[in-house]
Amino acid sequence: MSGTTAFRRRYGASPLHLLLVLASFALAAYAGLRLIKGDTAGVVLWFVGAALLHDLVLLPLYSVTDRAAQFLFRVRAGTGEGPPRPSVNYVRVPLFVSGLLLLVWWPLILRRVGHYTAATGLPADVFLGRWLLITAALFAASAATFLVRSRHESGPRRRAARRQRRARKATK
């Protein structure tokens, strides 16, 4: 057994994966040390608050929301044609990207800061409309992808059903 195979068997991934994980930990430690040099108490409070907010409020909220979406978009059982495709992903992806954009740009979207006008060259009131347009475009693209894929996947089933109807008609 080669060294890489033994490593992969024990670690579960390639040595490159371990190297990238270690590099990301080193980068996070460097960024953490740089943050703590300024306002240690504020940084610690922010991390604890963010962890508590995420673990006690947001995680249960989006877990329940995701379960509800899975229930609404459940795939009909019994088709027997390969693994089912979770239709809920066509809602998850645009919602995730839109939420990420909101998380990153929320001060501008919600007009909480006015001093970015000089840096962006845009008035503060354009960001909400643009975020809503981007969100609508993401959901429209996702819906179009869903329709194209469902139409493409249902083609063989429709043809088979049509052949069965013709065969039944011919035997009558």
Side-chain angles (χ1 to χ4, degrees):
M1 182 178 299
S2 72
T4 304
T5 307
F7 179 82
R8 186 181 298 266
R9 185 173 43 85
R10 297 190 93 187
Y11 176 67
S14 71
L16 179 61
H17 180 268
L18 178 62
L19 180 67
L20 291 174
V21 167
L22 291 175
S24 69
F25 282 146
L27 181 64
Y30 171 74
L33 290 174
R34 293 290 305 249
L35 278 173
I36 290 177
K37 282 185 180 178
D39 180 19
T40 306
V43 171
V44 170
L45 181 67
W46 187 85
F47 273 114
V48 170
L52 289 175
L53 175 70
H54 177 266
D55 292 348
L56 296 178
V57 177
L58 294 177
L59 180 66
L61 181 67
Y62 59 74
S63 295
V64 166
T65 305
D66 187 59
R67 293 288 181 177
Q70 286 179 24
F71 178 75
L72 291 174
F73 290 97
R74 68 178 175 257
V75 180
R76 280 179 258 153
T79 58
E81 294 182 20
R85 287 186 181 252
S87 302
V88 73
N89 288 340
Y90 293 99
V91 175
R92 278 181 185 158
V93 172
L95 192 63
F96 173 76
V97 173
S98 177
L100 187 62
L101 288 172
L102 180 63
L103 180 68
V104 170
W105 299 104
W106 72 270
L108 293 171
I109 292 170
L110 300 178
R111 298 180 188 135
R112 297 288 181 210
V113 291
H115 61 279
Y116 282 100
T117 302
T120 62
L122 297 171
D125 60 345
V126 300
F127 294 100
L128 176 63
R130 290 181 181 187
W131 175 74
L132 290 173
L133 283 173
I134 290 170
T135 300
L138 287 168
F139 276 99
S142 183
T145 304
F146 174 72
L147 290 174
V148 167
R149 285 198 173 175
S150 63
R151 180 86 173 147
H152 177 69
E153 289 175 356
S154 69
R157 281 183 284 207
R158 283 193 321 246
R159 285 191 294 271
R162 199 176 315 133
R163 278 190 295 252
Q164 285 177 350
R165 283 193 306 268
R166 286 182 189 154
R168 273 185 261 147
K169 257 187 191 177
T171 58
K172 289 183 181 180

